[in-house]
Amino acid sequence: MKNIVFPSFIALLAAACSNERSEVAHHDQDATCSGDGIVVSDAWIRAARPGQPTSAAYFALCNGGESEDALVSFTFSGAQAAELHATSLSEDATVSMTPTDEIAVSPGKVAILEPEGQHVMLIGLNAPLVDGETSMATLSFRNAPDVTLEFEIRDAASDHQNHN
Ligand SMILES: [Cu+2]
């Protein structure tokens, strides 16, 4: 198993970010999409046991507009804070994640937030997140209007299904 290293100031968040795996997702960032403005799909939040301090939210952003845009914040009442995190794979095959100010998405392109990839870190959970339930959250963008939508809460195990 490879080492997973994090900047010390976010070491406490490691539990929800390490995903017990050490690969960085490499989805085709050249995938195209179309829609009316920003379209959010595949929205889910990782389930969290009682007492678990953190979790993460994942989704796909399609920029159907004609100009650059970016996700700049995430509002979720079930946590005290939400941070946008980028993940990278270093030359020595360690995964690290760092807070990022925004997640950019070019016109006609898709930005995918997923396990081992960029994600929204949910910090200071107010209550357990139960598999099968849903929860609302709001995404704010640099240009596009806010999008509020329902997130499906899923066990971490379910995102292993398509992972080899
Ligand atoms: Cu994170």
Side-chain angles (χ1 to χ4, degrees):
M1 182 154 172
K2 297 161 188 166
N3 293 324
I4 298 174
V5 292
F6 301 96
S8 58
F9 68 98
I10 49 173
L12 290 174
L13 311 178
C17 277
S18 66
N19 303 327
E20 296 92 42
R21 280 160 285 160
S22 48
E23 292 174 19
V24 172
H26 290 290
H27 263 264
D28 182 4
Q29 296 299 320
D30 292 328
T32 58
C33 70
S34 61
D36 184 13
I38 296 281
V39 179
V40 184
S41 60
D42 299 330
W44 65 283
I45 290 172
R46 183 187 297 272
R49 296 179 302 279
Q52 189 175 320
T54 61
S55 185
Y58 307 103
F59 45 89
L61 294 176
C62 166
N63 182 356
E66 295 184 347
S67 55
E68 288 286 334
D69 211 337
L71 176 70
V72 296
S73 73
F74 187 94
T75 305
F76 174 61
S77 63
Q80 289 163 35
E83 288 184 357
L84 309 182
H85 281 181
T87 309
S88 61
L89 185 64
S90 67
E91 283 181 14
D92 62 349
T94 54
V95 173
S96 56
M97 61 162 210
T98 49
T100 181
D101 288 341
E102 60 175 41
I103 291 174
V105 56
S106 298
K109 296 294 173 71
V110 187
I112 298 170
L113 287 77
E114 61 187 344
E116 300 100 42
Q118 56 195 348
H119 56 275
V120 176
M121 190 94 221
L122 305 174
I123 301 163
L125 298 178
N126 298 321
L129 296 168
V130 180
D131 180 46
E133 294 188 352
T134 59
S135 195
M136 302 298 287
T138 299
L139 286 66
S140 299
F141 300 91
R142 198 198 302 150
N143 299 316
D146 288 359
V147 175
T148 298
L149 77 162
E150 191 169 76
F151 282 67
E152 184 187 335
I153 297 172
R154 283 189 216 159
D155 262 332
S158 60
D159 67 68
H160 285 264
Q161 287 173 358
N162 298 322
H163 199 274
N164 54 19

